[in-house]
Amino acid sequence: IGTPRCGASLNQPSKALAIELNADANCIWQIQRTTDETIRAIFSYFQFAPSSSCETESIKVYDGPSTNSTLLGQICSDTDAIPILESSSDSLTFLITTNSVVFTRNFFVFYYFFSETDAVNCGGELTGPNGTFTSPNYPAAHPEFTYCIWHIQTDKNSKINLQFQDFFLELDQNCRFDFVAVYDGPSTNTGLIGKVCGRTQPSFESSSNTITVVLSTDDSNSYRGFSAEYTSIPLPAPVQPDASLTCSSDSMTIVLSKSYLASLGYDETQLQLNDPSCRPVVTDSIVFSFPLTSCGTTKQDDGQSITYTNIVSLSPTGNVITRQKSLEIIAKCKMENNSTVEIMYITKNNIIQNITSVGRYDVSISFYDSDSFSNPILESPYYIDLNETIFTQVSLHSTDPNLLVFVDTCIASPQPDFGSPTYDLIRSGCNKDDTVVTYPPLEHYGRFKFNAFRFLRYFPSVYLQCDVVICDSNDTDSRCTRGCISRQKRDISSYLWKTNAVVGPIRLKRDLRSAGHSESLTKAEAEETPNLQQHSFYTLSFVVLISNIIIVVAVILKYHKHQAGYGYQKLQSS
């Protein structure tokens, strides 16, 4: 076995490479054949650094003399197969790159040249409800450089049980030299159930009606191989998921039916959340209900949304090797836009079922009588005096303490549906009315104040609608901490976790009087009205009538000279 430190040029007809690399490696091996044969390379063992990704660590295999040649395949820490690759040219190149993590990586690669005339007659398609097959020459020793693939397919709505009655291949702790690989499905590119060698009697089970078996050997230590039998097992009719997920600003509730769980082969004693100490309430259903910040729930802020995730794990028992040894129900409460998106993934044998529903952020907006924000105004409409200061608070009702509320935009309108015309009080965190004063974000509250105003002419009522941004308080550069952002500098991605709240109407107290609702005013206010003598009253009425006629004529003349339009302005005290 050769152990080149970092890269090599190779032209031997066959060679095994035990490769050990450390951090920040960038090594190239080039294999060049001199005869009219094909190069086959088996990457039978690879150990990358923990938590590495394809972007940072991989083996890239090229069909040609350099890394500019056609890419045959890429091998990473999550590769779910034993890659066996063949060249179509006279050379094959592979590049191994590693990241900066201090860790000893180990790889095992062996290659050999072969021609079609050398190929061992084995493998093929196996159909029918059951059958048997053996390695070449069984029970005699298998040939060297054996490479066989058996594709097994049974009737639809069935799965396959594969049992090796006799099995003897070269023993190695990592099965690097001779091995059998079993795949769940028709492909050898993914879906590896297991890899075995040595002396054993393994059993495998597929999740569907196809399973693939690969035998690969090198040129030394040949033994008798194996004898195997497969049988089909009818699958029960598909069971519709009977599970639900409900999310609120405070909690997450997962409900599973006992019958659905039993159809998957589990019961409530096998269930647990991320925090196993959080147990379900079991009646006719199994109910996990818990605050968003408990039971091991994780929170992720990806710049697009805030997601709370917990996982219900189910662990079966048994000795049969299957594609996955456990089932997981992944529950996610995703806070984005104007709603809470509730997502449940049920993963079983690489099949993902999902259940979704929609809720809302629990956000409210209220008026208060002072900047202490301790006494909310409960009556509606809210009657105010001219130029009176209105204190406004937007509240998020959530048990997550690590959230901030930011008032991004507030508009006013005389219409409760906020049709035209509208007026900006706050836009993109910037105060647009010169009486607006905003308070710094305080946990679950967004606060500001402004002076009373109303539309001129026909509109006695005003409604407010505020867009609210919810941020993770641990993010020091979130939208909630950036304040006013001009239109040119707006970062669209930071506006995605929004909801809005509406409050109103606001009306003037003098409108209350003119509408005949003087009972809402205090007795003291009513007593302020002067008690005029009747003669003086008629005289004053006549003067007022003449004055009003003059004012109306002046307004009409001005109206014909200038186009009329709506506008907002502060009300001036009478």
Side-chain angles (χ1 to χ4, degrees):
I1 298 176
T3 57
R5 179 66 179 170
C6 181
S9 295
L10 307 166
N11 56 18
Q12 298 96 321
S14 66
K15 192 173 184 64
L17 306 172
I19 301 170
E20 181 180 298
L21 295 175
N22 294 312
D24 300 317
N26 189 61
C27 307
I28 298 174
W29 284 262
Q30 184 195 70
I31 305 169
Q32 182 78 38
R33 64 171 172 79
T34 56
T35 58
D36 188 16
E37 292 178 304
T38 300
I39 304 169
R40 176 179 288 146
I42 298 96
F43 296 83
S44 58
Y45 181 73
F46 42 91
Q47 182 186 34
F48 293 94
S51 303
S52 64
S53 65
C54 284
E55 288 73 27
T56 61
E57 290 203 349
S58 69
I59 305 173
K60 291 184 178 179
V61 186
Y62 299 90
D63 188 5
S66 74
T67 56
N68 294 322
S69 304
T70 302
L71 182 67
L72 282 175
Q74 184 177 20
I75 305 162
C76 313
S77 59
D78 61 352
T79 296
D80 197 14
I82 309 299
I84 300 177
L85 302 171
E86 298 176 359
S87 70
S88 63
S89 63
D90 60 358
S91 56
L92 183 145
T93 301
F94 64 93
L95 163 68
I96 303 181
T97 57
T98 65
N99 61 26
S100 60
V101 175
V102 177
F103 181 80
T104 301
R105 290 86 167 161
N106 286 284
F107 310 94
F108 190 83
V109 186
F110 70 90
Y111 75 89
Y112 55 87
F113 304 158
F114 74 97
S115 64
E116 293 300 327
T117 57
D118 298 331
V120 177
N121 184 19
C122 63
E125 306 286 334
L126 300 175
T127 58
N130 51 71
T132 61
F133 60 101
T134 64
S135 57
N137 295 345
Y138 178 85
H142 60 74
E144 64 180 23
F145 297 134
T146 296
Y147 180 55
C148 312
I149 303 177
W150 290 269
H151 296 282
I152 305 171
Q153 183 171 349
T154 58
D155 292 337
K156 291 182 178 179
N157 299 320
S158 68
K159 60 182 180 180
I160 299 170
N161 179 270
L162 176 63
Q163 176 72 50
F164 288 86
Q165 290 99 350
D166 186 25
F167 192 99
F168 190 6
L169 294 176
E170 182 178 0
L171 177 62
D172 178 69
Q173 181 179 0
N174 296 310
C175 297
R176 297 173 299 172
F177 311 116
D178 301 341
F179 60 86
V180 165
V182 180
Y183 294 87
D184 188 7
S187 171
T188 60
N189 294 324
T190 188
L192 180 69
I193 302 176
K195 179 178 68 166
V196 289
C197 61
R199 297 199 67 173
T200 181
Q201 288 184 308
S203 295
F204 299 89
E205 191 171 279
S206 68
S207 63
S208 66
N209 66 326
T210 59
I211 199 169
T212 303
V213 180
V214 175
L215 169 64
S216 175
T217 71
D218 62 9
D219 59 347
S220 63
N221 300 324
S222 294
Y223 299 98
R224 66 174 176 266
F226 66 81
S227 172
E229 178 183 13
Y230 74 89
T231 55
S232 64
I233 302 172
L235 286 172
V239 177
Q240 292 300 315
D242 189 3
S244 66
L245 170 66
T246 304
C247 300
S248 71
S249 291
D250 297 318
S251 64
M252 179 186 299
T253 301
I254 304 168
V255 180
L256 303 170
S257 76
K258 284 185 175 179
S259 59
Y260 174 57
L261 204 62
S263 73
L264 300 175
Y266 302 93
D267 61 52
E268 63 270 18
T269 63
Q270 298 168 287
L271 298 179
Q272 67 178 38
L273 292 172
N274 286 346
D275 180 354
S277 65
C278 292
R279 302 306 303 161
V281 175
V282 181
T283 54
D284 292 338
S285 299
I286 301 158
V287 181
F288 289 96
S289 186
F290 49 93
L292 287 178
T293 54
S294 68
C295 294
T297 304
T298 60
K299 182 172 74 171
Q300 181 181 8
D301 175 0
D302 61 6
Q304 303 292 323
S305 59
I306 298 177
T307 302
Y308 300 90
T309 303
N310 210 312
I311 299 174
V312 181
S313 300
L314 306 96
S315 299
T317 58
N319 297 320
V320 176
I321 303 173
T322 59
R323 176 82 176 94
Q324 291 184 333
K325 296 184 179 179
S326 64
L327 180 148
E328 291 182 339
I329 299 174
I330 305 171
K332 295 190 176 186
C333 295
K334 190 173 185 180
M335 308 292 194
E336 64 176 7
N337 294 330
N338 196 25
S339 64
T340 301
V341 181
E342 301 154 351
I343 307 171
M344 179 181 290
Y345 297 99
I346 301 176
T347 64
K348 180 174 181 287
N349 294 328
N350 210 33
I351 298 170
I352 296 179
Q353 302 164 326
N354 65 75
I355 303 169
T356 63
S357 58
V358 175
R360 281 184 177 273
Y361 275 123
D362 188 3
V363 174
S364 62
I365 183 170
S366 302
F367 297 125
Y368 285 78
D369 62 358
S370 71
D371 59 4
S372 68
F373 294 96
S374 56
N375 298 315
I377 303 300
L378 301 180
E379 66 260 24
S380 180
Y382 176 29
Y383 287 95
I384 50 90
D385 287 320
L386 301 174
N387 255 346
E388 181 178 339
T389 299
I390 302 175
F391 299 93
T392 310
Q393 175 175 284
V394 178
S395 304
L396 169 67
H397 309 284
S398 174
T399 57
D400 186 347
N402 297 315
L403 293 177
L404 280 180
V405 172
F406 178 72
V407 180
D408 178 78
T409 296
C410 264
I411 62 172
S413 173
Q415 309 294 339
D417 60 358
F418 291 85
S420 179
T422 61
Y423 175 72
D424 285 353
L425 282 174
I426 303 171
R427 173 69 61 179
S428 302
C430 304
N431 298 340
K432 296 299 184 181
D433 181 273
D434 58 9
T435 69
V436 171
V437 176
T438 55
Y439 298 84
L442 176 66
E443 297 178 346
H444 291 177
Y445 305 106
R447 295 167 171 173
F448 63 97
K449 65 180 180 179
F450 61 96
N451 285 4
F453 59 90
R454 67 168 180 175
F455 271 112
L456 299 179
R457 300 169 71 187
Y458 306 115
F459 307 115
S461 300
V462 170
Y463 296 83
L464 296 185
Q465 176 176 275
C466 295
D467 287 344
V468 181
V469 180
I470 313 297
C471 305
D472 188 336
S473 61
N474 295 317
D475 183 358
T476 58
D477 191 37
S478 71
R479 177 67 192 94
C480 295
T481 61
R482 282 186 256 169
C484 174
I485 296 180
S486 64
R487 181 175 297 274
Q488 291 78 11
K489 296 180 180 179
R490 288 184 67 182
D491 177 6
I492 299 301
S493 66
S494 66
Y495 286 78
L496 293 181
W497 334 309
K498 270 191 183 177
T499 186
N500 60 59
V502 177
V503 69
I506 308 168
R507 291 179 181 168
L508 294 178
K509 286 181 179 178
R510 72 183 186 190
D511 295 332
L512 180 64
R513 299 187 188 102
S514 65
H517 298 293
S518 58
E519 66 274 10
S520 298
L521 303 179
T522 65
K523 184 177 180 181
E525 286 175 323
E527 291 175 350
E528 289 177 2
T529 305
N531 187 13
L532 301 176
Q533 295 180 359
Q534 188 172 4
H535 178 76
S536 299
F537 175 78
Y538 287 131
T539 302
L540 179 61
S541 298
F542 180 78
V543 171
V544 169
L545 175 63
I546 296 299
S547 299
N548 284 343
I549 292 173
I550 294 171
I551 291 171
V552 169
V553 171
V555 168
I556 292 174
L557 291 175
K558 185 174 182 179
Y559 179 86
H560 284 289
K561 291 181 179 180
H562 301 280
Q563 183 177 355
Y566 294 123
Y568 258 109
Q569 71 178 30
K570 288 183 295 179
L571 289 172
Q572 303 300 321
S573 300
S574 300

